[in-house]
Amino acid sequence: MRERGVVERENLSMAKVYWKRPLVITRGRGAILWDADGREYIDCTGNYGVAITGHSHPWVVEAIKAQAERLISCHGTFYHEVRSEFLGKLMALAPRGLDRAFLSNSGAEAVEFALKLARRSTGRTEIIAMMGAFHGKTMGALSATWNKKYRAPFQPLVPGFKHVPFGNIERVEKALSDGTAAVITEPIQGESGVNVPPDDFLPALRELCDERGVLLIVDEVQTGFGRTGKMFAVEHWGVVPDILCLAKAAASGLPMGVTMARGEVMSSLGMGEHSSTFGGGPVACAAASATIDVLLKEKLPERAARLGKLFMERLEGLREKHRIVRRTRGLGLMIGVELRFDILNILLGSLDRGVLILDAGRNVMRFLPPLVIEEDQLDVVISVLDEVLGEEEVARLRR
Ligand SMILES: Cc1ncc(COP(=O)(O)O)c(C=O)c1O
């Protein structure tokens, strides 16, 4: 690796909270990333689902450059042309009735705002979240997150959170009380293994929340902006939440968190009860506005649906061929492949052959590629996986 100094400096200076891949990335275009030695990689991580329009899409780059030359910062207490343009485009796409938004800088922040809003709007404090949920790692979002590894070192967390099995409406119903403000769920759980709920779960949850006067918060931080083959994943089930969180892909890689809500819910917040210095800054808004243009012009949600189906069929072929593949699941270009054992060798073996894949738990490979990925690039991914899975099978037989 040519850029050894980069690795050493980061290892010396950064908080050791990330498992690092042995890779210095220097450049990206579409679904391709290049390392410091000029080697190419097909990026099936999409930088954790962020690079929805591909790395450095020319429209997004142009929008960022043009805005940076005019004005970089503009606090929410001032009006700004590009922010208002982005909000206009966002509202035209948003699920019906979600006509107000708060702009922040990350997924966790979008969730924090949603939780505060639910408490403020209902005057109640309890939140029901799902087992397996991931909503971020700030204290409020962490309280809704399930994984003990993330939670245990930071107890006590925010009180009032209960977790119930994902997809089980009876258990949600049992957990509700007079003190429940909201139920929060991802439409498809990302971090815990790309878990798609039973088809009737989200509609039943919507109905239950309506009956009991409880707010429904849907966390689309990972699923939003076309990833699953619809602009928002809730559209697969015809469900409109009261509050919707968006981040990751929102500005194609610039920090942007969005919490959308119905006007009457949002109006419960008083002046100064929430704010963010950087939230809704002009450069991020310019990138987000261009992201929406690309999504619509290049029909990326439709593309995700088509390519996702193709890719899934080919992955199913691998499952039939390799016994170590247990299951495939997902929607659009949000796909999980569960193996019968730890996936680390598969991730590293694929990286060696120029394919970057994410994990979702110990034994699930997660694919969140840019939606502009080409069919022949997906074919390369399949043949690399075929090779690496085959080698691992042989190695396991020998052990
Ligand atoms: C569903 C979901 N919510 C929230 C978050 C937290 O987002 P961030 O890392 O931007 O704080 C993530 C991040 O992976 C996520 O997948």
Side-chain angles (χ1 to χ4, degrees):
M1 191 184 298
R2 191 154 57 82
E3 299 280 305
R4 196 164 298 284
V6 174
V7 173
E8 278 162 10
R9 241 183 341 266
E10 279 204 26
N11 283 346
L12 265 178
S13 313
M14 252 185 100
K16 288 197 187 308
V17 290
Y18 295 109
W19 170 76
K20 293 282 212 181
R21 293 172 177 79
L23 202 55
V24 178
I25 299 290
T26 54
R27 198 159 58 87
R29 196 68 166 190
I32 300 290
L33 289 169
W34 284 268
D35 73 7
D37 294 320
R39 244 198 106 192
E40 249 181 60
Y41 297 84
I42 300 176
D43 179 20
C44 290
T45 76
N47 256 319
Y48 288 74
V50 161
I52 208 114
T53 55
H55 294 285
S56 298
H57 189 289
W59 291 11
V60 177
V61 172
E62 198 39 55
I64 292 171
K65 275 183 170 167
Q67 185 52 48
E69 275 170 8
R70 292 183 66 174
L71 183 69
I72 291 179
S73 70
C74 180
H75 194 265
T77 51
F78 296 96
Y79 293 94
H80 189 272
E81 202 184 342
V82 174
R83 185 190 300 130
S84 104
E85 179 189 294
F86 164 55
L87 286 168
K89 290 180 187 174
L90 180 69
M91 291 311 156
L93 296 179
R96 177 177 31 87
L98 301 185
D99 53 8
R100 294 257 163 191
F102 179 79
L103 304 180
S104 56
N105 312 280
S106 68
E109 264 188 276
V111 170
E112 291 290 335
F113 179 81
L115 298 172
K116 283 179 72 176
L117 181 59
R119 282 187 164 187
R120 191 76 175 99
S121 161
T122 60
R124 296 176 231 133
T125 54
E126 269 177 31
I127 308 283
I128 313 291
M130 302 294 142
M131 292 175 180
F134 186 82
H135 297 292
K137 293 180 182 168
T138 54
M139 290 305 267
L142 183 60
S143 307
T145 288
W146 165 250
N147 194 333
K148 197 168 158 214
K149 186 176 88 185
Y150 302 145
R151 298 166 58 89
F154 304 103
Q155 303 281 358
L157 298 178
V158 178
F161 285 75
K162 279 189 214 159
H163 288 84
V164 297
F166 181 56
N168 186 328
I169 196 71
E170 287 80 25
R171 292 290 295 277
V172 179
E173 190 166 6
K174 262 196 193 150
L176 293 179
S177 78
D178 292 344
T180 309
V183 176
I184 182 166
T185 187
E186 295 152 88
I188 299 171
Q189 291 187 332
E191 297 286 319
S192 65
V194 190
N195 302 314
V196 185
D199 252 350
D200 54 358
F201 179 61
L202 287 169
L205 194 55
R206 176 67 280 177
E207 214 173 294
L208 179 63
C209 287
D210 284 343
E211 269 169 36
R212 302 288 290 266
V214 165
L215 296 177
L216 175 59
I217 306 173
V218 170
D219 178 348
E220 293 245 16
V221 165
Q222 194 162 140
T223 52
F225 265 22
R227 165 66 55 202
T228 68
K230 301 270 187 198
M231 195 57 82
F232 297 98
V234 284
E235 292 170 25
H236 288 287
W237 295 279
V239 163
V240 179
D242 301 293
I243 304 176
L244 187 148
C245 305
L246 182 68
K248 288 195 186 285
S252 289
L254 256 63
M256 166 68 76
V258 183
T259 313
M260 287 184 269
R262 285 187 291 113
E264 75 204 68
V265 172
M266 200 66 103
S267 66
S268 63
L269 278 176
M271 208 67 82
E273 288 184 353
H274 199 75
S275 60
S276 162
T277 300
F278 293 127
V283 183
C285 283
S289 182
T291 298
I292 293 181
D293 293 345
V294 176
L295 281 171
L296 295 177
K297 181 82 182 21
E298 299 186 9
K299 297 189 168 44
L300 293 186
E302 293 86 338
R303 187 182 170 90
R306 184 175 61 79
L307 290 181
K309 196 160 170 282
L310 266 176
F311 191 47
M312 187 69 108
E313 280 165 16
R314 289 171 199 172
L315 288 168
E316 268 297 300
L318 291 183
R319 189 185 60 75
E320 280 159 20
K321 182 168 173 192
H322 299 282
R323 268 204 40 123
I324 56 178
V325 180
R326 182 182 278 153
R327 215 170 291 146
T328 61
R329 51 185 178 250
L331 261 181
L333 283 173
M334 178 174 185
I335 292 178
V337 177
E338 185 182 330
L339 301 192
R340 296 184 192 278
F341 56 82
D342 196 303
I343 56 169
L344 187 63
N345 287 343
I346 307 295
L347 296 195
L348 294 176
S350 303
L351 183 147
D352 275 347
R353 290 168 173 80
V355 171
L356 304 179
I357 301 170
L358 275 180
D359 58 319
R362 206 182 51 78
N363 65 335
V364 181
M365 294 188 273
R366 185 170 33 145
F367 297 84
L368 300 174
L371 307 188
V372 297
I373 196 164
E374 302 286 346
E375 205 178 316
D376 57 355
Q377 291 170 328
L378 289 173
D379 287 341
V380 174
V381 173
I382 293 291
S383 61
V384 163
L385 275 175
D386 192 12
E387 226 177 280
V388 178
L389 287 166
E391 278 179 18
E392 183 66 15
E393 269 173 340
V394 172
R396 286 200 163 244
L397 279 176
R398 288 211 186 107
R399 258 176 239 155

